[in-house]
Amino acid sequence: MSAAVVTGGDPGRRQPIEHADTAVELAGIGLPSPVLTASGCAAAGRELDEFFDITELGAIVTKSIMLKPQAGRATPRMSETPSGMLNSIGLQGPGIDAFIENDLAWLNERGARTIVSIAGETVEEYGRLAAKLRSSGGFDAIEVNISCPNVADRGQVFACRAESAAQVVQTVRRSSDSRIPIFAKLSPDVTDIVEIADAVIRAGATGLSLINTLLGLVIDTTTMRPTLAGTTGGLSGPAIRPVALRCVWQVHQAFPAIPIIGMGGIRSGRDALEFLLAGATAVSVGTAIFHDPSAPSRIHAELAAEVRARGFDHVQDVIGFAHRANDSDVPSPTSAQHATTAQQESSSLEDWDFITE
Ligand code: DHB
């Protein structure tokens, strides 16, 4: 999508909003937008397509798929928290064969760029998943979910140890078409995320998805028991955004050439901009979708306006900007009015309530 001028809002106060060119290159893939869906929050995109044209997004990142069909955990599976959501779904899904036949086929027919998220219980399972995808083709990249918090035992959270994280990534790399980029999805629940990033990059990861949910717990004070049937769950939403941003910052600083998909509590174009400034090439929108199914499309438009309001013609040019020395060139905003308009667009999102309204 190229720079454009659109008008909207109250006709009496109508102001032109210029949008920056949103095209980015992610691990060699040309995307029309840096905004993607986050795995697990939009299944395979079919339902979202009823709210907006999913082909306008950078890509659909599918719910992590396992080898066999999974019924998932008992309910309740979701619980609201003061500024986020806790969930324990248990990787429910149809299994890789049905996924390829139905979901991937639909995404291809629809013309959506697709990043397939895979999850296994063992290193070998990841290899088999990658081999099946290699045979099917019809996708742009693999996201290797090695950080699902809702697994039978913590030993299966491969991303919590550099060695096991690297083993999975190496196996997926060896089982995949060498032209397919592989993104390793890391957990923030580690002492040093840069150490884990280093290990998976050495093992062949093309890029990184930062971050998965944090392991959390909610207790229902009426029943005096954990709210979720699975006891603990993954925390997502605005509460985790500063943690996610810190991880993107640290990893980009250590490995500036490695593409990062940033995610964690993004609800507005300004939130997305923060991630790009910290070093992410693309961003995934997740929890916000449950409250506002059009969020990825809205955030795409808001981001384009936010970037333009800061004097940039291309979104690609702000990636990693926050790491540059203070005296680097900042283009002057096209007009103060643009900055104000862009700020007004997202100011309504600044309140705390994000699910219940
Ligand atoms: C699930 C998987 C995840 O990767 C996550 O962050 C949260 C929940 C799940 O399917 O339970």
Side-chain angles (χ1 to χ4, degrees), residues 310-312 317 321 324-332:
R310 285 157 182 79
F312 291 86
D317 294 341
F321 190 89
R324 295 186 209 156
N326 266 342
D327 57 359
S328 18
D329 281 348
V330 184
S332 52

mmCIF file of all heavy atoms in Angstrom, residues 310-312 317 321 324-332:
data_model
loop_
_atom_site.group_PDB
_atom_site.id
_atom_site.type_symbol
_atom_site.label_atom_id
_atom_site.label_comp_id
_atom_site.label_asym_id
_atom_site.label_seq_id
_atom_site.Cartn_x
_atom_site.Cartn_y
_atom_site.Cartn_z
ATOM 1 N N ARG A 310 5.084 11.565 11.738
ATOM 2 C CA ARG A 310 6.441 11.819 12.250
ATOM 3 C C ARG A 310 7.414 12.146 11.126
ATOM 4 O O ARG A 310 8.628 12.159 11.332
ATOM 5 C CB ARG A 310 6.900 10.621 13.091
ATOM 6 C CG ARG A 310 6.214 10.613 14.449
ATOM 7 C CD ARG A 310 6.165 9.256 15.106
ATOM 8 N NE ARG A 310 5.441 9.342 16.372
ATOM 9 C CZ ARG A 310 4.109 9.382 16.478
ATOM 10 N NH1 ARG A 310 3.360 9.332 15.412
ATOM 11 N NH2 ARG A 310 3.536 9.481 17.663
ATOM 12 N N GLY A 311 6.882 12.350 9.918
ATOM 13 C CA GLY A 311 7.700 12.830 8.812
ATOM 14 C C GLY A 311 8.343 11.749 7.965
ATOM 15 O O GLY A 311 9.189 12.036 7.123
ATOM 16 N N PHE A 312 7.948 10.496 8.162
ATOM 17 C CA PHE A 312 8.518 9.405 7.367
ATOM 18 C C PHE A 312 7.543 9.009 6.259
ATOM 19 O O PHE A 312 6.339 8.926 6.490
ATOM 20 C CB PHE A 312 8.778 8.170 8.249
ATOM 21 C CG PHE A 312 9.884 8.362 9.247
ATOM 22 C CD1 PHE A 312 9.632 8.936 10.483
ATOM 23 C CD2 PHE A 312 11.183 7.956 8.939
ATOM 24 C CE1 PHE A 312 10.647 9.111 11.403
ATOM 25 C CE2 PHE A 312 12.204 8.129 9.862
ATOM 26 C CZ PHE A 312 11.941 8.710 11.095
ATOM 27 N N ASP A 317 11.360 2.591 7.282
ATOM 28 C CA ASP A 317 12.440 3.467 7.760
ATOM 29 C C ASP A 317 12.440 3.692 9.278
ATOM 30 O O ASP A 317 13.391 4.246 9.814
ATOM 31 C CB ASP A 317 12.371 4.824 7.055
ATOM 32 C CG ASP A 317 12.661 4.696 5.566
ATOM 33 O OD1 ASP A 317 13.244 3.666 5.170
ATOM 34 O OD2 ASP A 317 12.289 5.606 4.805
ATOM 35 N N PHE A 321 14.530 2.462 14.943
ATOM 36 C CA PHE A 321 14.915 3.875 15.075
ATOM 37 C C PHE A 321 15.292 4.249 16.509
ATOM 38 O O PHE A 321 16.208 5.055 16.725
ATOM 39 C CB PHE A 321 13.772 4.781 14.581
ATOM 40 C CG PHE A 321 14.159 6.218 14.461
ATOM 41 C CD1 PHE A 321 14.711 6.707 13.277
ATOM 42 C CD2 PHE A 321 14.023 7.095 15.531
ATOM 43 C CE1 PHE A 321 15.099 8.034 13.169
ATOM 44 C CE2 PHE A 321 14.409 8.417 15.428
ATOM 45 C CZ PHE A 321 14.947 8.884 14.241
ATOM 46 N N ARG A 324 18.912 4.279 17.513
ATOM 47 C CA ARG A 324 19.898 5.185 16.902
ATOM 48 C C ARG A 324 20.247 6.308 17.862
ATOM 49 O O ARG A 324 19.456 6.674 18.726
ATOM 50 C CB ARG A 324 19.340 5.768 15.597
ATOM 51 C CG ARG A 324 19.133 4.671 14.581
ATOM 52 C CD ARG A 324 18.717 5.222 13.242
ATOM 53 N NE ARG A 324 17.905 4.206 12.572
ATOM 54 C CZ ARG A 324 17.021 4.453 11.637
ATOM 55 N NH1 ARG A 324 16.814 5.684 11.222
ATOM 56 N NH2 ARG A 324 16.316 3.478 11.105
ATOM 57 N N ALA A 325 21.427 6.855 17.668
ATOM 58 C CA ALA A 325 21.893 7.943 18.538
ATOM 59 C C ALA A 325 20.898 9.095 18.490
ATOM 60 O O ALA A 325 20.228 9.302 17.478
ATOM 61 C CB ALA A 325 23.263 8.401 18.069
ATOM 62 N N ASN A 326 20.813 9.826 19.572
ATOM 63 C CA ASN A 326 19.823 10.901 19.688
ATOM 64 C C ASN A 326 19.925 11.958 18.604
ATOM 65 O O ASN A 326 18.942 12.597 18.288
ATOM 66 C CB ASN A 326 19.967 11.581 21.050
ATOM 67 C CG ASN A 326 19.020 10.959 22.039
ATOM 68 O OD1 ASN A 326 18.073 10.296 21.641
ATOM 69 N ND2 ASN A 326 19.295 11.150 23.317
ATOM 70 N N ASP A 327 21.154 12.122 18.072
ATOM 71 C CA ASP A 327 21.316 13.188 17.098
ATOM 72 C C ASP A 327 21.028 12.721 15.668
ATOM 73 O O ASP A 327 21.209 13.457 14.727
ATOM 74 C CB ASP A 327 22.718 13.799 17.183
ATOM 75 C CG ASP A 327 23.803 12.751 16.991
ATOM 76 O OD1 ASP A 327 23.451 11.569 16.818
ATOM 77 O OD2 ASP A 327 24.988 13.123 17.023
ATOM 78 N N SER A 328 20.527 11.438 15.498
ATOM 79 C CA SER A 328 20.238 11.047 14.113
ATOM 80 C C SER A 328 19.056 11.847 13.587
ATOM 81 O O SER A 328 18.253 12.369 14.333
ATOM 82 C CB SER A 328 19.964 9.559 13.944
ATOM 83 O OG SER A 328 19.648 8.903 15.047
ATOM 84 N N ASP A 329 19.026 11.913 12.266
ATOM 85 C CA ASP A 329 18.039 12.773 11.619
ATOM 86 C C ASP A 329 16.616 12.326 11.884
ATOM 87 O O ASP A 329 16.256 11.206 11.605
ATOM 88 C CB ASP A 329 18.250 12.739 10.092
ATOM 89 C CG ASP A 329 19.401 13.629 9.696
ATOM 90 O OD1 ASP A 329 19.849 14.402 10.558
ATOM 91 O OD2 ASP A 329 19.841 13.525 8.538
ATOM 92 N N VAL A 330 15.826 13.201 12.421
ATOM 93 C CA VAL A 330 14.393 12.950 12.545
ATOM 94 C C VAL A 330 13.723 13.908 11.580
ATOM 95 O O VAL A 330 13.845 15.123 11.729
ATOM 96 C CB VAL A 330 13.868 13.243 13.977
ATOM 97 C CG1 VAL A 330 12.399 12.865 14.082
ATOM 98 C CG2 VAL A 330 14.691 12.526 15.009
ATOM 99 N N PRO A 331 13.058 13.401 10.544
ATOM 100 C CA PRO A 331 12.390 14.315 9.629
ATOM 101 C C PRO A 331 11.351 15.128 10.387
ATOM 102 O O PRO A 331 10.761 14.623 11.336
ATOM 103 C CB PRO A 331 11.706 13.397 8.609
ATOM 104 C CG PRO A 331 12.039 12.007 8.975
ATOM 105 C CD PRO A 331 12.765 12.006 10.278
ATOM 106 N N SER A 332 11.175 16.382 9.974
ATOM 107 C CA SER A 332 10.175 17.160 10.699
ATOM 108 C C SER A 332 8.794 16.701 10.266
ATOM 109 O O SER A 332 8.561 16.425 9.093
ATOM 110 C CB SER A 332 10.349 18.645 10.422
ATOM 111 O OG SER A 332 10.389 18.845 9.046
#
